[in-house]
Amino acid sequence: MAQSVGIKDVAKAAGVSVGTVSNVINRPDVVGPETRTRVLSAIEQLGYVRSESARQLRAGHSRIMGLVVLDMGNPFFVDVTRGAERAARAVGLGVMTCNSAQSQSEEAEYLSLFAEQRVRGVLLTPADATGRNIENFRRTGIPFVLVDRVAQDAEECSVSVDDVTGGTLAVRHLLEAGHRSIAYVSGSETLNQVRDRRTGALAALREAGHGPEALRELSGDRLDVAAGRDAGSRLLGMADRPTAVFCANDLLALGVLQAMYAAGLRVPEDVAIVGYDDIEFASAAAVPLTSVRQPAVAMGTLAAELLLEEIDALGRDEPHRHRNVVLQPELVVRRSTLASRGR
């Protein structure tokens, strides 16, 4: 195996000191044109590649921003990542995205990896409902911002969406369409988003004069299409089947839609369906889904910008005021709920 080329090899080939090579790489303006050309020629001929890890050790941090999301299989988090990357690239940083798969232990491992790599900062959608992972990571001194989650105290920034309002919008729409028996297809109770959307759904029922029994919950451990199909099968087995379904995200809604079609039911004539997130697939479904839109790209961009502000304040040894930005959701009505009749 060929040995890797080091900075000393470049210096020897160019007939200059190691310090001069370092200046050409890091501060080319302080090196004369002739010497700079000679060093660059040696770098090209030898195939020298700067060791980023060594540079990070010297600088004390990397040019990477860490991002941990709940599920990279969900296009919502892909859009959040796009927004974060947009802000990071503007200042010459890259984004390392990791998928916790809603696992507290995997989340802890990724946060530990980020600490070892001395990333500039971290964007995190927490999977750990206990808050232990966040508390442990806070001790590293690396700044972080919560994404799609409201910070519980003033010790960190966060960017989220008002999911209580989102749940209210969804169920209020179904009630206005004439539905009186509504199912809520949800995910793990440990996720704040799931709980907040249920809270909003119950609020809509309450303002319409209905009790909580009007919302029949079909819960599961996952928030994917397969879990939606499973919930749809359970819905079909109910003796007094609800006439409308509110799903905690669009992937669940697509799964429910598949189950209804497989059973020969019409959407929305037999069962109306509302999703959440308004991912691209929602409008492209066989029956375009009504969904509560979250500004995912804007959420990722804002979170990264808040993180960059904190990183800049730390670099200048200045105090940083943490902010909790709450974005508003929007109901996008499509064919999956358009049929309206008394129920």
Side-chain angles (χ1 to χ4, degrees):
M1 181 182 296
Q3 291 184 339
S4 60
V5 176
I7 193 170
K8 291 182 179 179
D9 300 308
V10 174
K12 182 178 180 181
V16 298
S17 68
V18 169
T20 298
V21 176
S22 178
N23 283 336
V24 169
I25 295 171
N26 299 296
R27 298 187 300 159
D29 54 301
V30 304
V31 182
E34 183 179 339
T35 302
R36 188 166 64 242
T37 299
R38 193 162 71 249
V39 171
L40 291 173
S41 177
I43 287 174
E44 183 178 355
Q45 290 175 3
L46 295 175
Y48 169 74
V49 177
R50 178 173 63 171
S51 171
E52 180 63 15
S53 60
R55 190 200 66 80
Q56 290 174 193
L57 285 172
R58 290 192 299 271
H61 53 69
S62 74
R63 291 188 294 120
I64 296 295
M65 179 186 295
L67 170 62
V68 185
V69 299
L70 293 176
D71 180 13
M72 277 306 293
N74 187 338
F76 166 76
F77 287 111
V78 175
D79 286 343
V80 169
T81 302
R82 284 173 48 212
E85 288 177 336
R86 178 184 300 170
R89 281 198 304 269
V91 295
L93 297 181
V95 177
M96 179 187 294
T97 305
C98 298
N99 178 25
S100 72
Q102 300 182 44
S103 166
Q104 297 180 19
S105 60
E106 289 191 37
E107 175 181 273
E109 289 175 8
Y110 285 130
L111 291 175
S112 178
L113 173 65
F114 288 154
E116 291 173 5
Q117 295 298 314
R118 302 181 185 181
V119 297
R120 297 294 289 274
V122 171
L123 303 175
L124 172 66
T125 302
D128 178 15
T130 69
R132 283 192 295 268
N133 286 344
I134 291 176
E135 286 305 314
N136 290 336
F137 188 73
R138 183 179 281 118
R139 297 190 189 103
T140 68
I142 297 173
F144 65 92
V145 172
L146 301 186
V147 185
D148 197 27
R149 176 72 60 84
V150 180
Q152 297 303 308
D153 50 45
E155 295 187 53
E156 60 260 349
C157 291
S158 66
V159 180
S160 62
V161 166
D162 186 346
D163 284 320
V164 174
T165 293
T168 300
L169 290 172
V171 173
R172 184 185 291 154
H173 170 68
L174 292 173
L175 290 167
E176 290 172 351
H179 298 280
R180 296 296 176 263
S181 178
I182 301 169
Y184 177 47
V185 176
S186 65
S188 172
E189 273 289 317
T190 63
L191 296 177
N192 285 9
Q193 297 92 325
V194 168
R195 296 198 302 271
D196 287 349
R197 291 165 197 178
R198 180 198 300 107
T199 298
L202 291 172
L205 288 168
R206 193 164 53 249
E207 73 180 21
H210 302 291
E213 68 279 356
L215 190 71
R216 301 168 68 180
E217 187 163 358
L218 296 166
S219 61
D221 294 330
R222 304 183 317 281
L223 291 164
D224 55 22
V225 174
R229 285 195 297 266
D230 175 70
S233 297
R234 286 185 279 153
L235 181 76
L236 292 168
M238 290 182 175
D240 183 17
R241 189 180 68 233
T243 60
V245 183
F246 168 42
C247 298
N249 74 5
D250 285 338
L251 296 183
L252 290 171
L254 291 170
V256 171
L257 177 63
Q258 290 178 4
M260 297 303 103
Y261 257 67
L265 269 67
R266 300 168 300 165
V267 176
E269 291 80 4
D270 297 317
V271 180
I273 303 173
V274 178
Y276 204 104
D277 290 339
D278 195 32
I279 62 175
E280 184 177 357
F281 299 138
S283 61
V287 177
L289 283 171
T290 293
S291 184
V292 178
R293 176 179 294 165
Q294 297 200 82
V297 174
M299 189 183 300
T301 301
L302 281 169
E305 288 174 349
L306 287 178
L307 183 60
L308 291 169
E309 287 179 10
E310 185 169 356
I311 291 170
D312 183 58
L314 286 173
R316 291 184 282 109
D317 197 24
E318 294 180 356
H320 174 72
R321 182 177 64 87
H322 293 295
R323 289 188 285 153
N324 303 128
V325 180
V326 180
L327 304 174
Q328 291 302 308
E330 173 190 0
L331 181 70
V332 181
V333 179
R334 299 191 181 96
R335 278 175 45 207
S336 69
T337 59
L338 279 180
S340 173
R341 57 180 175 146
R343 301 288 172 137

